[in-house]
Amino acid sequence: MAERARALAEGPGFGDLDRAEALYRIGCCRYKLSSISSALAIYSEALTLAESSGLPCDRLCSHILEWRSRCYRRQRDFEAAGEDIERALSITGRHNVVLLHCITAYPAPETEYNLAVLASLRAGLGVDVGEGPVGVGDVEQLVRQAPQFGLRCA
């Protein structure tokens, strides 16, 4: 759907500022889907279009810059978390590890679960999660139950 919106905005009835607005909104969608690199590229393209339009667009530019800053913060958080995870895995090993994907909102709305990130984490970290449970639940409860499956929490 986002690509269709982008294609429509490229049409002759739209100017650079309209395209920048469409790209900004697509970037927000990419960010919410945790596609941070893609969102950053889209925000940069939107900012360039907005600034080159020659039209007053301070508010749009400020929104683009705000969301682009969020992307940079999330990238730094991912890098720092990756270092912490690697350190923990060097201590516990990479077999029978419990991966927990935590969300700050509690109770988290189902639209924020993004459980697919667990597969990405498992592949990216090269860990064997064994036959442990995969699902949604209270983090403290999952940590308490991990030993029942012969798993360690990192």
Side-chain angles (χ1 to χ4, degrees):
M1 181 181 273
E3 294 308 316
R4 189 169 192 290
R6 186 176 187 154
L8 286 172
E10 295 295 327
F14 294 90
D16 284 346
L17 193 56
D18 298 317
R19 288 183 188 94
E21 176 77 27
L23 288 172
Y24 161 69
R25 295 187 184 283
I26 292 168
C28 292
C29 293
R30 294 285 188 211
Y31 176 87
K32 290 180 180 184
L33 292 170
S34 294
S35 183
I36 304 304
S37 297
S38 174
L40 271 170
I42 291 169
Y43 288 136
S44 294
E45 184 180 351
L47 189 62
T48 299
L49 279 171
E51 290 175 338
S52 68
S53 72
L55 299 170
C57 56
D58 292 345
R59 187 167 186 201
L60 175 60
C61 288
S62 71
H63 288 303
I64 293 169
L65 290 170
E66 174 190 352
W67 280 82
R68 196 168 72 168
S69 291
R70 288 182 188 188
C71 289
Y72 287 130
R73 277 194 308 270
R74 188 174 278 186
Q75 274 187 332
R76 286 189 303 272
D77 290 348
F78 283 155
E79 290 170 11
E83 292 170 9
D84 291 345
I85 291 169
E86 285 297 329
R87 176 70 178 127
L89 291 173
S90 72
I91 295 168
T92 64
R94 294 182 182 271
H95 299 287
N96 293 326
V97 174
V98 174
L99 290 177
L100 302 174
H101 168 52
C102 302
I103 302 168
T104 56
Y106 187 82
E110 288 184 26
T111 56
E112 299 289 321
Y113 289 173
N114 192 13
L115 294 178
V117 77
L118 290 173
S120 299
L121 286 171
R122 182 173 71 185
L125 296 171
V127 296
D128 171 22
V129 295
E131 299 299 318
V134 174
V136 177
D138 180 283
V139 172
E140 292 176 2
Q141 179 184 5
L142 291 171
V143 170
R144 284 192 304 272
Q145 291 176 343
Q148 295 172 8
F149 295 96
L151 304 174
R152 296 180 304 274
C153 291

